Structure formats: C-alpha cells, structure tokens
Amino acid sequence: MSEIPYKIYLSESEIPTAWYNVRADMKNKPAPLLNPGTGEPLKAEDLMPIFCEELCKQEMNNTDQWIDIPGEILDFYKMYRPSPLVRAYCLEKALDTPAHIYYKFEGNNTSGSHKLNSAIAQAYYAKKQGLKGVTTETGAGQWGTALSMSTAYFGLDCQVYMVKVSYEQKPFRREVMRTYGATVTPSPSMTTNIGRKINEEFPGTDGSLGCAISEAVEAATSQEGYRYVLGSVLNQVLLHQSVIGLEAKAALDKYGIKADMIIGCAGGGSNLGGLISPFVGQMLRGEADYEIIAVEPASCPSLTRGSYVYDFCDTGRVCPLAKMYTLGSDFMPAPNHAGGLRYHGMSSIVSQLYDDGLIKARSVKQTDVFAAAEQFARVEGILPAPESSHAIKVAIDEALKCKETGEAKNIVFGLTGTGYFDLVAYQKYNDGVMDDYIPTDEDIAASLAKCPKL
Amino acid sequence: MSEIPYKIYLSESEIPTAWYNVRADMKNKPAPLLNPGTGEPLKAEDLMPIFCEELCKQEMNNTDQWIDIPGEILDFYKMYRPSPLVRAYCLEKALDTPAHIYYKFEGNNTSGSHKLNSAIAQAYYAKKQGLKGVTTETGAGQWGTALSMSTAYFGLDCQVYMVKVSYEQKPFRREVMRTYGATVTPSPSMTTNIGRKINEEFPGTDGSLGCAISEAVEAATSQEGYRYVLGSVLNQVLLHQSVIGLEAKAALDKYGIKADMIIGCAGGGSNLGGLISPFVGQMLRGEADYEIIAVEPASCPSLTRGSYVYDFCDTGRVCPLAKMYTLGSDFMPAPNHAGGLRYHGMSSIVSQLYDDGLIKARSVKQTDVFAAAEQFARVEGILPAPESSHAIKVAIDEALKCKETGEAKNIVFGLTGTGYFDLVAYQKYNDGVMDDYIPTDEDIAASLAKCPKL
C-alpha cells in the first residue's frame, strides 16, 4: 500500500459512468408514492405533467441496478469531478486520535455543494425532452444556485421561486442565480394564483418553502414546455447522488482502505443516500458490513423522533403522498435554527433503510455543530457548511471514542459543502448568541396528528 | 501525447519543494527600498523591527535562484495544492475559437484566492521566530482571511485592522476571520495613537487602507513579540507565489504543451509575478519566449498610465520608499470601482520586468470585465472574483482574435479566486447600474506630483 496522500484524486476516466440504484438491491423496496386524492400508488405517467419523462421513469425504477450516465452529463461532471477524498491528517493530529478520518468533499464548485450532481442531470433530461425551461423553489438558495448553473450550461430558462424573507435578507445567493441567468421571484409573488391568494390572505407575509413549492409547481404546469424540478428527497435525486459514494468507494479501494464507519448529514437525505448507496449495496448483498450513521439536527429530528407513515411532501399538500420518517408536514424548526436540514420528512429510500436497521441515526445540537465546524475549519482549512458540520460533529465524537479505546477505525464522512453563504449563522455563533432548541414531544405529536389518514 | 483532461492535477509529490526567485535571473534587479528619511537603500536589518527576520532576508535576496520550502509549509500546501490547471473546453466551444485556453485555478481554498500561498509562509516564519502573533490590514478581507487561516493553523495571534466601511458593510469576510480566531478591529480604531488621532481629526470617518496600514504597523511595533505582514507588492510575496507558476509549468510540460501567451491580472502584482516567474526566468535565460500580458483596471492603471519612479508605499508615508510604476500614493480609484486591484503602485519586480519590455500591459473597463466574468461563469461553472476576471476578459479577447486569424494559440491565464464575497458588485452589474470611470490625465498628474523628490 502506497502512502496515503492528503487528497485522493481519481482521474477523470475514473468518474463513474453509471449511477448505482440501491433500490435494485433492497429487499424491502421504498414505499410507492400515493395519489393524494385516491390513495392509489402513482405510475410514472401520473408524474409526467409535473416532472420530466425520463426522471419519472428513474423515480419509479426499483429494478435496474445501474443506470448509464449520459455523455453530456459526464462532460459537465468533468468540470468539477472527481471530488477529492481527503485524509484529515490535521484533524487527526489535533484530536490526537488513532482513528483515520476521511471526508468526501463536495464543495469545490460554485454552487458550493453536492446539489450540482443532480441539478445537471435534471437540466439535461429537460433539455433532451425539448423543454424550454424548468421551475423550482429555493430557500436560502443552494439548490437554486446549482440548478441555475446547470440550466445556463444547457441554455434552458430557469425560474426560481425564492422564499421572500431569504430573497430580501440573503441577496448574495440570489445574485449568483441571476448571474447564471435565472429569473428569481420572491415568493409569495403576484405571478401565480396561489401566490396572489396567499398575498391576499396574509398581506406582508415573509413566505415559506411550502408556498414557494406550490408556486413553482403551478408555474411549471401552467406554461407550455416547462416542468418542475426538486433537489432532494426523491429517489431520482438519490440515484444521481450515488456518484458521491461510488467515487468515495473507488478512492478507498485504490488504497486498500476498508471503511469501518460512514457518517453523513441528513435533511431530505440526498447527500446521505448518495454517499452510502454503494456501501449499503454491499451490505444488502452480504458482501461487507459498515456502521452507517445519519446525523440530523436536534431541532428537526425526523429519523430519531418522527414516525414512519405516509405524509404530505409539502405544506401546500399539492404533491403526492410519500411514506417516510416524518415530523408532520406542518412541522417547522424553531426560528433560531441556523444549521439547514429543515425538511419535515426523510427520503423514502433512507427511511426504509433506517427502518430495516441498516443505518443508525443520531441528532445533534446546533451549538455543538458550530463548535465542531470551527474546530474543523481551523485545522483543515475548509469553512464547512452548517449542514455538513453535523457530520463533522459526529465524526469528531467517534474519533474521540477511538482515542479512549485505542481503536484505529477508518471513519469516512461526507463534507457536502462550504459555508460562505452561511456567515450570518457563524456570526451568531461567534457572538455567543446562538442557542439550541429541541422540540417537545407535544410539538411533534401535534404536527404528526395532521398526517393523512389512509 | 495523451488526451488532455479537463483538469490537469499534479500529484502531491509534484508540489514544488522550492520557491523560484526570479530576481536571481534578472539582469536589471528591482530597485532597492529606500529609507524615507535619508533616501539611503535599506538593509535587511533595517526592516527587522517591522517584518519577520527570515522574510526580511528573502525580501533582499537577489541572488539565490531557489529557496527551499520548509516541510511544515509543504504540509499545509498539501491541504489545498496542487491547484488544477484547467483546460477551458467549454469556453473554447462557446467562443468557437481554435485557441486552446488553460487557466490555473487558485480559488479552491476557503480564503478563496492565491493569497494563502504567501500567508502560510509568513505565518510559518513568524512562528519559527517565536513570535506571539502578527498584525495586518485588510480592505474587503481576502488577505485577512488567508492570514487568519494560516495563524489559526500555527496557533499564532492575528490582529487585523479592517477598513471601517468594509467592516460594517461587508460583515461576511469579517466573520470568516473571527471563525479562524482573528481579532478584527474596525479602522481607524481607538486602540492605536494614529487611530485616535485620525478619529479626532475626522470624526465619523469611514477609514482607508492607508490608515489601516499605519495602525497595523504601530500595533506590530508597539507589542512585544509581534510583527507586521503584507499580502502583495513585496519581493517575498512574489517569491512565495512562484508556486503558482511552477505548478502551471509542470502541468503544461506533463502534456507537452508550450504556452504562447500568459495572462494575469495585476493589482500589487503578487499573483501575476508568481504565475509568470518561471516562464520569465526562461526568457531571461534565453531558453524560451512567451507573450506575457498584465491586465489592470482602466480605473487604476499603474502600468499603462503611471510613472516608473520612487514613491511612498502607503498613504500614511510611514513605510520605505519603493521604485515602481505608480499613480502616486494619493491616487484613489473612483468610488464606483468594484473590481479590486486598487493599489496605486506595482510590485518592484513586475515594474522592472515591464520596464525591460519582458511583459506587456493592458487596461480594461469594469463593465467589460463583469461581462467576461458572467460569460465565463455560465460555461465554465466557476463564479470568478472580479480581480481574476480582468485576465478572463483579455483571454477571451485573444481567443477571439485567434478565431479571426485561425491560429490555435495556447493561452494560459491565472484564475486567482472566486467571487462569493463580491456579489454586491455582481448585483450592480446584473441591475445594469455599474458604470465605468477612467481617470483623466490631470487626475494622475496631480497625484504623481506628490511623489517624493529624491
């Protein structure tokens, strides 16, 4: 075995040429989406008025283990992939741990996160279908940025509904999207029926992600040649994100490293699902075993404190029903929650794997997350996104356990992105005015009570 | 010759182990620094109360062609270097040019620019000298960020004087610095004599870089165990930045590519000097020939419209005198200038090479720079810093000339960093409210008239 470098870079020829579809190896398939009106399972065709055709097929495909990555997507991947698998030598030294820590760093692109892996795929299929453009919603703007980069590349129109309070208070992401040619509309807007209705009912409202989703879906279905796209939760998104795990595994294999533990942050589940897919695949096929930990915020603990039931995917309740670990579609993390990962439910694939005991989950408090982020930044250089820092926190905890036990475990975690647009949150932490909030059992029970009765 | 990948990555073992000192190969050495009181050339010892010892020696070293990079600096370099040399396939396609365009991308680190290459070296020598900490000034904060990352790594104190208007209006860079443990003080402050004096004379002043330099120098010289550090202009900084050019040249050599043209943006000259050093070295030794173009803003045109004379390095006139292409130390680019590169003078090394006809210079208007930035971002993915975009503008111009002539020139340019913290400027451009300003001959003559009479 050669000496392990700080950064294990694969060559461009080692970028995966097919996405790995973990559903093909799952004995218990993720539960199907249901029609909210009839309660019947949806078919690919039912989704096609909203989503691109090829993506609807990918969404429903529980059987093909590998799906080829089209050459035009591969060409784009070559601009920022393979991403490095970094050996955190400096963090290990700072922690004085016998553990070997590795992180797969997805932040070296202008969108600043792994979101680009799926955005470029979704834009490609929209282009291939001959569409004029796509619509989407965005909160702080990470997904919207990734999508606008991708639509700029393929010459598609991109209409982003951005939650009004973010549009006004976080202008930088908005400007990145505009620089890439996207139209960014503060939501609720006066450009859609649902936006006008909400503006009328709640004058001066700050908007919400639920409302922005509803506007984006309405905009897609009411314009000729448009479809709606989404950056997490869906099976298709986890499929595209499998490039993270495939590259990570190839880099580990190259140096004969067997991961003991794989850690990822989990909001909607796209990064975690992508990172762990090929490793979980080995577990499902009985070829290897790993300890896999999903890390979520204590303020939005869908896996650790939610229920595994059918729920609405959006607060507007216009989307299909999905079976997932959920806190209820009305659940909102406390306003002081700064660390991202604020979706009320978890991807169906991750939910099923968790329910089957293949992965564990842990929740962490946000002040602990930012302390870990700062410690990491100071020794490893990279300023991590708050989301990613959930995984850092648990990786550090586990490395410190190894220090106690003397075990030289191989700990791999996903560093999904950078925190350049999250400095308001860092400022709160630096000023010592960030606090923690953990929802009560009553909070969660109240929102769960509103799940649909099937 | 193998097919050229999108990104040419060297291996970690190919990171240069010595900096290249172009002064050793220059027949006409850069002019020495002068004592502002006596007009006599300064010796290394004269600088030692202000700068670290080893750095003073490097500043004066016109003879050693190579200076070993200490192992601890190399270890840090391994966290973010080698940086990729990228083949801009997508830009070439968009321009429909026969030219081959390459860029050396220095933005893949949290400081977001090449500044880190020198910051870590300066922090290392401060640590080695047993100092407690360093002081510096920063405008928008790029250099301050790089320095705070470096001092965090070596456990040094870092005191940054940040121009007050930037401190208040650009809080994000400030928060990155604080996250890395730096103390950031808005300048003018009440913590130094010069700061108190200026606050008294000009109550409510927004501050200036000149004042922040004076405060940082006073803070360094009035505290036991502190020295002052600077991020550009100096010979030592260009020396450290030679890693950019050495890696670029190694990557080109690896694929048998001979650059025809090398383009870099130029403010103080650290990036340009570092990028071109090994290539200019070949020219000086008669081994090869290149067309080298320094690109500067039309609003701050020190090379194209300044004079090659001794001038003050700072507006406070406390620093040594340097011979350089200068617009006069009182010169200020117009307030609407958004594109960085606002120093009134040019590094002595770059000035001498320019005066000797080894490099050319070109000035570009900022709206053209942002148009080039946007075009680049949309096809190459990366959101470039405004500074870097000066080089992009000229690279595109040259590639379009190749389209006319049919020449397949190899164009190499330096992409010094990312624009994540420059979105106020992008917003102005996106909103169509950015304009251009070119100083009149009278403006420049007036500030040049205040250069010292020797």
Side-chain angles (χ1 to χ4, degrees):
Chain A
M1 191 170 77
S2 1
E3 195 188 341
I4 298 164
Y6 279 66
K7 300 175 300 302
I8 306 177
Y9 271 111
L10 302 174
S11 70
E12 278 168 21
S13 60
E14 292 169 297
I15 294 176
T17 56
W19 293 300
Y20 169 64
N21 183 9
V22 70
R23 285 168 284 166
D25 285 320
M26 289 170 72
K27 280 177 205 77
N28 300 321
K29 306 294 180 193
L33 296 171
L34 300 186
N35 181 316
T38 66
E40 291 297 309
L42 288 169
K43 297 193 197 71
E45 304 83 79
D46 300 325
L47 295 174
M48 288 183 185
I50 301 176
F51 297 111
C52 299
E53 281 179 31
E54 196 62 34
L55 294 167
C56 294
K57 291 178 196 162
Q58 291 181 0
E59 191 63 27
M60 298 298 176
N61 188 335
N62 286 345
T63 50
D64 293 326
Q65 199 177 26
W66 296 96
I67 293 175
D68 281 347
I69 305 177
E72 284 170 86
I73 298 175
L74 273 177
D75 281 347
F76 188 91
Y77 278 170
K78 285 177 189 166
M79 289 206 295
Y80 71 101
R81 308 202 66 82
S83 70
L85 182 76
V86 185
R87 172 78 184 268
Y89 281 115
C90 298
L91 180 62
E92 291 171 17
K93 193 176 160 194
L95 298 174
D96 189 22
T97 174
H100 293 194
I101 308 173
Y102 299 86
Y103 55 91
K104 180 69 172 165
F105 180 42
E106 292 288 319
N108 269 353
N109 69 72
T110 284
S111 81
S113 82
H114 67 292
K115 296 274 183 185
L116 195 53
N117 300 329
S118 183
I120 191 62
Q122 297 194 45
Y124 167 79
Y125 289 116
K127 181 75 178 177
K128 196 183 161 202
Q129 193 175 329
L131 298 179
K132 290 180 195 158
V134 293
T135 72
T136 199
E137 78 292 331
T138 201
Q142 208 170 39
W143 165 246
T145 307
L147 186 65
S148 63
M149 290 175 65
S150 304
T151 50
Y153 183 77
F154 283 122
L156 286 167
D157 186 36
C158 182
Q159 301 175 358
V160 181
Y161 288 85
M162 187 171 186
V163 176
K164 191 183 272 177
V165 62
S166 297
Y167 181 92
E168 287 164 359
Q169 292 182 1
K170 298 182 180 174
F172 286 0
R173 283 253 186 222
R174 178 186 81 205
E175 291 308 320
V176 182
M177 290 185 265
R178 290 181 69 205
T179 299
Y180 283 95
T183 310
V184 187
T185 305
S187 169
S189 74
M190 296 304 277
T191 67
T192 64
N193 291 328
I194 183 82
R196 283 187 290 271
K197 182 159 170 270
I198 290 177
N199 270 316
E200 198 171 292
E201 281 179 26
F202 308 97
T205 174
D206 277 346
S208 72
L209 209 51
C211 166
I213 293 176
S214 304
E215 286 205 88
V217 172
E218 181 184 327
T221 51
S222 62
Q223 291 177 91
E224 182 75 26
Y226 281 77
R227 290 295 183 280
Y228 168 72
V229 296
L230 184 65
S232 189
V233 182
L234 297 175
N235 296 339
Q236 59 188 265
V237 181
L238 270 73
L239 174 72
H240 306 148
Q241 296 296 357
S242 69
V243 292
I244 305 173
L246 291 167
E247 283 185 10
K249 189 164 179 312
L252 291 167
D253 289 349
K254 196 167 215 171
Y255 285 85
I257 304 156
K258 163 69 174 64
D260 294 299
M261 182 174 277
I262 302 163
I263 301 166
C265 62
S270 76
N271 145 70
L272 177 81
L275 172 65
I276 66 173
S277 274
F279 301 97
V280 167
Q282 289 184 294
M283 293 169 76
L284 289 163
R285 296 189 303 270
E287 297 166 6
D289 203 21
Y290 302 98
E291 185 173 358
I292 295 178
I293 306 178
V295 190
E296 59 185 13
S299 54
C300 193
S302 58
L303 286 173
T304 50
R305 297 177 65 199
S307 292
Y308 190 33
V309 294
Y310 268 100
D311 195 7
F312 302 102
C313 288
D314 59 322
T315 43
R317 303 184 176 186
V318 298
C319 295
L321 304 180
K323 188 178 178 191
M324 51 189 182
Y325 274 87
T326 180
L327 298 160
S329 62
D330 276 1
F331 182 85
M332 294 276 281
N336 69 12
H337 172 70
L341 311 176
R342 51 177 70 238
Y343 190 63
H344 67 277
M346 182 58 63
S347 114
S348 293
I349 293 174
V350 171
S351 292
Q352 186 62 46
L353 293 172
Y354 178 62
D355 203 56
D356 287 342
L358 285 150
I359 62 182
K360 301 175 184 175
R362 205 175 290 177
S363 75
V364 289
K365 290 191 294 182
Q366 73 173 351
T367 50
D368 292 340
V369 166
F370 277 84
E374 186 178 280
Q375 181 175 19
F376 179 83
R378 290 188 183 185
V379 293
E380 288 288 322
I382 297 166
L383 185 79
E387 292 84 349
S388 324
S389 305
H390 288 71
I392 296 174
K393 163 64 181 156
V394 169
I396 290 177
D397 287 349
E398 291 298 322
L400 291 175
K401 281 186 203 166
C402 287
K403 187 178 175 179
E404 283 176 27
T405 63
E407 289 172 286
K409 281 189 185 173
N410 289 318
I411 300 173
V412 176
F413 73 89
L415 190 70
T416 55
T418 49
Y420 306 135
F421 293 93
D422 301 292
L423 283 157
V424 170
Y426 272 99
Q427 181 174 357
K428 278 186 192 160
Y429 178 74
N430 291 334
D431 288 342
V433 296
M434 173 176 281
D435 49 25
D436 294 305
Y437 170 81
I438 299 174
T440 64
D441 290 342
E442 290 71 27
D443 292 338
I444 294 173
S447 56
L448 276 176
K450 296 179 192 165
C451 288
K453 310 287 175 287
L454 296 174
Chain B
M1 191 170 80
S2 3
E3 196 189 342
I4 298 163
Y6 279 66
K7 301 175 300 301
I8 305 177
Y9 271 111
L10 302 174
S11 70
E12 278 169 20
S13 60
E14 292 170 297
I15 294 177
T17 56
W19 293 301
Y20 168 64
N21 182 10
V22 71
R23 286 168 284 165
D25 284 320
M26 289 169 71
K27 281 177 204 76
N28 300 321
K29 305 294 181 194
L33 296 171
L34 300 185
N35 181 317
T38 66
E40 291 297 310
L42 288 169
K43 297 192 197 73
E45 305 80 80
D46 299 326
L47 295 174
M48 287 183 186
I50 300 175
F51 297 111
C52 300
E53 280 180 33
E54 196 62 34
L55 294 167
C56 294
K57 292 179 195 163
Q58 292 181 359
E59 191 63 26
M60 299 296 177
N61 188 334
N62 286 345
T63 49
D64 293 326
Q65 200 177 26
W66 296 97
I67 292 175
D68 282 346
I69 305 176
E72 281 169 270
I73 299 176
L74 273 178
D75 280 348
F76 188 90
Y77 278 170
K78 285 179 190 167
M79 288 207 293
Y80 72 101
R81 306 202 69 82
S83 71
L85 181 76
V86 185
R87 171 79 183 268
Y89 281 115
C90 298
L91 180 62
E92 291 170 19
K93 192 176 161 193
L95 299 173
D96 190 22
T97 175
H100 293 194
I101 308 174
Y102 299 86
Y103 53 92
K104 180 69 172 165
F105 181 42
E106 291 288 320
N108 269 353
N109 68 71
T110 284
S111 81
S113 83
H114 67 291
K115 297 275 182 185
L116 196 54
N117 300 329
S118 183
I120 189 64
Q122 297 194 45
Y124 167 79
Y125 289 116
K127 181 75 179 178
K128 195 182 161 204
Q129 194 176 326
L131 298 178
K132 289 180 194 156
V134 293
T135 73
T136 199
E137 78 292 332
T138 200
Q142 207 170 40
W143 165 247
T145 307
L147 186 66
S148 62
M149 287 174 67
S150 304
T151 49
Y153 183 77
F154 283 122
L156 286 166
D157 187 35
C158 182
Q159 300 175 357
V160 181
Y161 288 85
M162 186 171 187
V163 177
K164 192 184 272 177
V165 63
S166 297
Y167 181 91
E168 286 164 0
Q169 292 182 2
K170 298 181 178 174
F172 285 1
R173 282 255 186 222
R174 178 186 82 205
E175 291 308 320
V176 182
M177 291 184 264
R178 290 180 70 204
T179 299
Y180 282 95
T183 310
V184 187
T185 305
S187 168
S189 74
M190 298 303 278
T191 66
T192 64
N193 291 328
I194 184 82
R196 284 186 290 271
K197 182 158 170 273
I198 290 176
N199 270 317
E200 199 171 291
E201 281 178 27
F202 308 97
T205 175
D206 277 345
S208 72
L209 209 51
C211 166
I213 292 175
S214 304
E215 287 204 86
V217 171
E218 181 184 328
T221 50
S222 61
Q223 293 176 90
E224 182 76 26
Y226 281 77
R227 290 296 184 279
Y228 168 73
V229 296
L230 184 64
S232 189
V233 182
L234 298 174
N235 296 339
Q236 61 188 264
V237 180
L238 269 73
L239 174 72
H240 305 148
Q241 296 296 357
S242 69
V243 292
I244 305 173
L246 292 167
E247 283 185 9
K249 189 163 179 315
L252 291 168
D253 289 349
K254 195 166 217 172
Y255 285 86
I257 305 156
K258 163 70 175 62
D260 295 299
M261 182 174 277
I262 302 163
I263 301 166
C265 62
S270 76
N271 144 69
L272 177 81
L275 173 66
I276 66 173
S277 275
F279 301 97
V280 167
Q282 290 183 293
M283 293 168 77
L284 289 163
R285 297 188 304 270
E287 297 166 4
D289 203 23
Y290 302 97
E291 185 174 357
I292 296 178
I293 306 179
V295 190
E296 59 185 15
S299 55
C300 193
S302 58
L303 286 173
T304 51
R305 297 178 64 198
S307 293
Y308 190 33
V309 294
Y310 268 100
D311 195 9
F312 304 101
C313 289
D314 60 323
T315 43
R317 302 184 177 186
V318 299
C319 296
L321 304 179
K323 188 177 178 191
M324 53 187 178
Y325 275 87
T326 179
L327 297 161
S329 62
D330 275 1
F331 183 85
M332 294 276 281
N336 69 11
H337 172 72
L341 312 174
R342 50 178 71 237
Y343 189 63
H344 67 276
M346 184 56 63
S347 113
S348 293
I349 293 174
V350 171
S351 292
Q352 187 60 47
L353 293 172
Y354 178 62
D355 204 55
D356 287 342
L358 286 150
I359 62 182
K360 301 176 183 174
R362 205 174 290 177
S363 74
V364 289
K365 290 190 295 182
Q366 72 174 353
T367 50
D368 293 339
V369 166
F370 277 84
E374 188 179 279
Q375 182 175 19
F376 178 84
R378 290 187 184 185
V379 293
E380 287 289 321
I382 297 166
L383 185 79
E387 293 84 350
S388 325
S389 305
H390 287 72
I392 295 174
K393 163 65 180 153
V394 170
I396 290 176
D397 287 349
E398 292 298 322
L400 291 175
K401 282 186 203 164
C402 287
K403 187 178 175 178
E404 284 176 26
T405 63
E407 289 172 286
K409 281 188 185 172
N410 288 318
I411 300 173
V412 176
F413 72 89
L415 190 71
T416 54
T418 49
Y420 306 134
F421 293 94
D422 302 292
L423 284 158
V424 170
Y426 272 99
Q427 180 173 0
K428 277 185 193 160
Y429 178 74
N430 291 334
D431 288 342
V433 297
M434 173 176 282
D435 49 23
D436 293 306
Y437 169 82
I438 299 174
T440 65
D441 290 341
E442 290 70 28
D443 291 339
I444 294 173
S447 55
L448 276 175
K450 296 180 191 163
C451 288
K453 312 285 176 286
L454 294 176

